[in-house]
Amino acid sequence: MDLVLFIQALLIGIFCYLGSVSSPWLMGVTGGYYVVGRPLVAGLIVGLILGDVTTGIILGVAVQAAFIATISTGGTQNSEITYAAYGGIALGMLAHASTGVTVTLSVGIGALGLILHNFMMVINSYWNRRAEQAANDGDAKGIVWNNAIYPQIGNFILRVVPVTLAVYLGQGFVSDALKAIPKDVTTMMNVLGGLLPALGIALLMNLLIREKAHFIFFLAGFVFIAFIKNNMIALTVFAILIAYIIYLVKQKAGSTVELEDEVI
Amino acid sequence: MDLVLFIQALLIGIFCYLGSVSSPWLMGVTGGYYVVGRPLVAGLIVGLILGDVTTGIILGVAVQAAFIATISTGGTQNSEITYAAYGGIALGMLAHASTGVTVTLSVGIGALGLILHNFMMVINSYWNRRAEQAANDGDAKGIVWNNAIYPQIGNFILRVVPVTLAVYLGQGFVSDALKAIPKDVTTMMNVLGGLLPALGIALLMNLLIREKAHFIFFLAGFVFIAFIKNNMIALTVFAILIAYIIYLVKQKAGSTVELEDEVI
Amino acid sequence: MDLVLFIQALLIGIFCYLGSVSSPWLMGVTGGYYVVGRPLVAGLIVGLILGDVTTGIILGVAVQAAFIATISTGGTQNSEITYAAYGGIALGMLAHASTGVTVTLSVGIGALGLILHNFMMVINSYWNRRAEQAANDGDAKGIVWNNAIYPQIGNFILRVVPVTLAVYLGQGFVSDALKAIPKDVTTMMNVLGGLLPALGIALLMNLLIREKAHFIFFLAGFVFIAFIKNNMIALTVFAILIAYIIYLVKQKAGSTVELEDEVI
Amino acid sequence: MPKLEKKDLRKAWRSWAMYHLSSMSFEKLEAHGFAHSMLPVLKKLYKDNPEEYRKALKRHSVFYNTEPQTGSLVNGVICSMEEKRANGQPIDDDMFHSIKTSIMGPLAGIGDSTLQGIFIPILLTICMGISNHGNPLGVLLYIVAYLAIILSLSYFLFMRGYTLGIHSVNSIIGENAEKLRDAFNTLGIIVIGGLAASFVKLSTVIKIPNGDEQLDLQKTFDGFFPGLLSLLAVLLCWYLISKRKLSASKVLIILVLISVVGVLLGVF
Amino acid sequence: MPKLEKKDLRKAWRSWAMYHLSSMSFEKLEAHGFAHSMLPVLKKLYKDNPEEYRKALKRHSVFYNTEPQTGSLVNGVICSMEEKRANGQPIDDDMFHSIKTSIMGPLAGIGDSTLQGIFIPILLTICMGISNHGNPLGVLLYIVAYLAIILSLSYFLFMRGYTLGIHSVNSIIGENAEKLRDAFNTLGIIVIGGLAASFVKLSTVIKIPNGDEQLDLQKTFDGFFPGLLSLLAVLLCWYLISKRKLSASKVLIILVLISVVGVLLGVF
Amino acid sequence: MPKLEKKDLRKAWRSWAMYHLSSMSFEKLEAHGFAHSMLPVLKKLYKDNPEEYRKALKRHSVFYNTEPQTGSLVNGVICSMEEKRANGQPIDDDMFHSIKTSIMGPLAGIGDSTLQGIFIPILLTICMGISNHGNPLGVLLYIVAYLAIILSLSYFLFMRGYTLGIHSVNSIIGENAEKLRDAFNTLGIIVIGGLAASFVKLSTVIKIPNGDEQLDLQKTFDGFFPGLLSLLAVLLCWYLISKRKLSASKVLIILVLISVVGVLLGVF
Ligand SMILES: OC[C@H]1O[C@H](O)[C@@H](O)[C@@H](O)[C@@H]1O
Ligand SMILES: OC[C@H]1O[C@H](O)[C@@H](O)[C@@H](O)[C@@H]1O
Ligand SMILES: OC[C@H]1O[C@H](O)[C@@H](O)[C@@H](O)[C@@H]1O
């Protein structure tokens, strides 16, 4: 048994747990899911653990791009980004895979991870019932244990075990597979990596676009970046300006009389 | 007699007819005036007929630029663009003229063509009277013949004959003239070619600009292309955004009360 | 005594007087303060007087940049720009100073000049009292002399004398000082020259920004120049467009009923 | 009860799409094109009533003119009205007449400026960009895109006019439609500004001696306002046409004069 | 009279900030996280009244879910309401319930789209730009900036919720707030458009023979519309999800198919 | 009946255009400049009435201050009012006084910010661009353009003020005028933002060791936000002036300190 690799794999599994949406230890989602759980940050962490920060970050940036618009609402996600980040980047690095291959690995692992994550949410129903009973009994301790501690056992196991094993055992397998992969398949993976953000973006659009005319805004944003200046800060300032004007239009319309004398 | 040239000239004349505003055969103005009649398309067609597609298209683009904003409203135009396109590009190609010279030729031919076109419209009054009589008599066939068929005789003759002759006979004349032309005159033609779109654009402005403040929009469009990005698609998206905001402003203002609850 | 230098210094002093805010001779502030008084113009004039137009203009541009947003409202300024321009550029040129050093010199001289200028305004109170008396007496001549002529004596002396002397005597001193200046100090001066416009701009912002949301406009202008196109004309057209839309929004809101039928 | 079938409507659309301007004259323009387009429909509706048929042909042979491609909407509306009339509803000649004359103007305005003033120039500009150096792809794109978009639009508008009938008139000349037209107007003016910057080309060759070197005036212009002279040329043309009421031909002559004199004086 | 001190509020905020989702399940989500966060406050307020304490714990153990970081505002509001109730004001269970359920939805909407849809992607984009070639500065900037901004925001909102109490609800679900949300929505859509252009990457390798040369189709696209194929890909996904109601996983499979087939056909 | 001729008005304009600030002091500013400008007019109107003449001179010698170039409008208005008064209309001193004091403020505001805050900086920026490397063309353009535009504007406003008389006041302080001023304000703020980005220059020389290489911090900044430090510098100044109420001189000293300390610490 390769002890060094095992410890590395274990550490990666633990970070995958710390970055999960329901791990409380790093100030809940704030330091967990939204910081340690992001592929960009995972890239740095995996790089540090495996001893090649530069490669780690480069892969992190690539995986992050594919998941740039992944969001979690109402407890549901379309991919488990943290499994994807730690599992995908670590395996990619160990097998010296290209960014395209690493992204595809991440997507696959993210899909599997989502099943485990949903399984954990099912288990939690059990702890919820106990927490509810504790509330009915006026038992503060019971709430704390059943909300904060017990559910973390399942969460911990369901992340650390599979990720550690996958990283520890998967290296050889992935390396071999990579050697056998024909060039066309690599190209497909690269194409897929470029297509993937379209899914997250479409989900976001579905959330925000409430009428046809809103496509004008979407197009304006697209054209700004594609034609004028590929810089998100510049676009954001421009978008704030447009949003402010739209706000003025609506505010003025909604309450004409009272606002007449207002200083704006 | 040079038979090949004659057939080429004849074909060009026929396309000049097919692209005329009143030729019905290519789905009326849709496939005729607005497709076959455009100098850009004429460039390809003349190029195919004369056996040099590349030169044809290059001249087509140049002549199209000079006529970019030419429009026909209420049956009146400021230049007969189809005569200009076929006559100008064909003569230009045959005489190996530069784009500047070809554009000038086109402008001249367009001015002469306008006289012929207006003459045809006068002739059509005769067929109109017969069509009206047919309507009064409940004679469907009479309407068809006097609307669709007879008027095309004049249209055909007034286009095919002069254009064919001009192309067939004009080649030598234009070539000779070109040799005699001093450099200054060529420069003048180039300058004129660059100035010409200003006329069409001014006519469009006259149509659309209804108050001084609208100049702001005109200037914004100009500055966008001249300073920021020379791309009409980008400008169009930007223009749609502005137009949409203006629309919101007016809509909100016009019917404040009812619209208050509307979702926009 | 170096007569040529003295005459040059004297001429520079006289222009510093002609460009002062209260000198009437070049159509008041129009040809004076806002034309001859601008560092850009001073650069040309000093260059002509000292016989090196190119260097003069280059220094003029540099000093103008530092004072780009300096404005005078209600009789108060934050620096005396005309002293700064003539004193600074002349000494800088004579001592072969870099633009950074010249700008710093100008700032210092501008600060001293402000004291002299304010002193003149105090003196003018005396002539004001006499002019008021003349008005009470219906004495037109008294008004003319006490408004237009007498106050110019102080203004003339307080500008021509110190500027002439500074230029005449300062050259050697500045040259020597320059030789002794360590590189770090030059760097500091360059940094300061780049920072200075921030002060004028902040004063302008303080004048114009009346609510937090206005920062959006400021940021939009900044981002436009910094990211998209470093051209003030393009920005101005864009700004006019935005301002016009804001105007429409407010106009529509303010008087909904009457404006409904208006053509805009 | 006579009823129009899809194939009658298709025929009517096709006739209009082809023969709208085939007998164009200054007095009648699309008058007989309109009648021509109604033939298949009227034949069906009034086949048992030759007098009504005759009257219908007559009422659709009067002066008519609008933008032909977007104008197919009107033909659809009239088809639905004729069908209603043939089925006994009290729609008289005046009604037909007033609807046609009240829509044709605004529709010509919006149609001409949107198609000829915005859509065609933009499509041309894109395709000219592609075909710049003789590449036929741009020309082909223009042909395919124009035909596909405009033929479907024309067909769609005709059918929609038929379905909505007289109500669709509101969507063209109602109050909200006016605001929409205003918005299109704004869009059009911005686009024209861009066309001006793209296509009008004027530059000076004047060089100003400055010491040993020569100052290239055009370069100076380009440094702070690229296209300044082109803008001035457009504004001049606009001023002549709009304020001095010169005809297009007179302005053309002035442009020729400017070119000639400008080159002779060494300005351009 | 029981009174909450700063340190009780801090504890309550910290519990919420950590344990909001620690026992998340499909049916309860943040229910017990909310109760957990109220413990220090309820203990203080009802220490002499175990029955009230029990009832309070119960009423805060029902289904609850909102964006956790901006949602701390609600916890602050509820703390202030519990304090008032403990001091005798007549606030019943229904009141607590209706306030929590009426805010949680809008707050989740604006919170998720602003943080996950706008703020995080923009911050990530900037930092990814810096870390493009492996430079750790970008990652560190992301970590520091996110923590600093969001932790302060969450803390600030909690304290403001406590201070303003029930009135702060208006600032979230009132009429003006709706307009503000609309503005954020606009902002979000524009930003997403930019994200699409930045991150979706699709280009064709098709070459068209043209005489001796070969026309590079992608170059032609880039000439008039860079990112055209990417835009089409996004619109396709949006169409499948929004109009055809496909699930995200199905769309993922379709994207895989497109990649495979496209490469096999030599399109990509 | 005394009547003002064009030449009287021209003289009055010229006196104002020259002597508006020639005796400026903190208490009176343009008071006597205004009186000076009225001399030719009052002489003509009250030549037969020395008492009225004296009173007129007196009433125009009180404190007055506005932007001098756009302010010529007021002089035109007052000329027309004096003419009416000389012809018997009941216009008393208070009337003159209230008109002058009610316009002078708003006019100074809009005049100063439009001319000094927008027009002059833009014209300067353009001309500085041209004269960048010592080319005198830019300076000459500034001189000619400024004089031509502003002298005509000032003359035009004077004459318009005279023609419209008291009514022109509305166009400066009426409700619609306020909206126009708001629009100018917006314009001004955007332009200042651009000036800040063009003219404030601050960059760091800090290099961060990263393995073998060195990371150039300024390059990192430029990669995602060119001009970030300049923006921060402006915001700092604005904060000091607007929120901490520091005087301009104090801020100047702070800027000097920043430069000195920054260079000593190796930051800039
Ligand atoms: O939608 C609100 C909220 O719902 C759940 O709690 C999670 O998915 C969060 O990430 C999300 O913010
Ligand atoms: O103006 C409407 C219409 O009028 C005539 O029919 C022709 O000039 C058409 O090209 C034009 O569209
Ligand atoms: O503020 C109005 C006006 O006040 C004083 O007269 C001077 O500072 C002028 O420069 C300024 O325009």
Side-chain angles (χ1 to χ4, degrees), chain D residues 57-93:
Chain D
L57 282 186
K58 207 176 150 187
R59 80 171 149 257
H60 291 306
S61 293
V62 294
F63 175 83
Y64 181 74
N65 188 45
T66 196
E67 202 291 310
Q69 302 165 105
T70 48
S72 62
L73 177 92
V74 182
N75 298 62
V77 171
I78 297 299
C79 286
S80 105
M81 286 172 67
E82 284 287 359
E83 185 178 31
K84 294 226 174 68
R85 183 189 152 101
N87 284 293
Q89 285 195 18
I91 306 179
D92 61 6
D93 281 20

Side-chain angles (χ1 to χ4, degrees), chain B residues 21 34 72-76, chain D residues 21 29-30 65-68 108 112 116:
Chain B
V21 73
Y34 291 132
S72 149
T73 51
T76 61
Chain D
L21 280 167
L29 280 159
E30 301 166 353
N65 188 45
T66 196
E67 202 291 310
D112 283 344
Q116 302 191 67

Side-chain angles (χ1 to χ4, degrees), chain A residues 59 62 92 95-105 178 186 189-190:
Chain A
L59 294 178
H96 302 290
S98 68
T99 54
V101 172
T102 306
V103 169
T104 312
L105 268 173
L178 276 183
T186 320
M189 287 177 169
N190 284 330

Side-chain angles (χ1 to χ4, degrees), chain A residues 134-194:
Chain A
N136 288 350
D137 300 345
D139 164 16
K141 234 183 199 162
I143 293 181
V144 170
W145 281 87
N146 286 294
N147 180 58
I149 310 299
Y150 297 142
Q152 292 309 310
I153 300 172
N155 193 16
F156 187 87
I157 294 173
L158 285 170
R159 292 190 174 248
V160 176
V161 174
V163 171
T164 304
L165 290 182
V167 173
Y168 185 70
L169 303 174
Q171 178 190 14
F173 176 75
V174 174
S175 294
D176 292 351
L178 276 183
K179 275 169 214 141
I181 281 179
K183 207 182 145 285
D184 260 11
V185 175
T186 320
T187 311
M188 286 167 194
M189 287 177 169
N190 284 330
V191 171
L192 183 64

Side-chain angles (χ1 to χ4, degrees), chain A residues 21 29 33-34 71-77, chain E residues 20-21 24 29-30 64-69 104-105 107-109 111-112 116:
Chain A
V21 73
V29 295
Y33 191 57
Y34 291 132
I71 75 171
S72 150
T73 52
T76 61
Q77 297 149 266
Chain E
H20 40 246
L21 280 167
M24 74 193 289
L29 280 158
E30 301 166 354
Y64 181 74
N65 188 45
T66 195
E67 202 292 308
Q69 302 164 102
M104 70 183 195
L107 201 62
D112 283 344
Q116 302 191 66

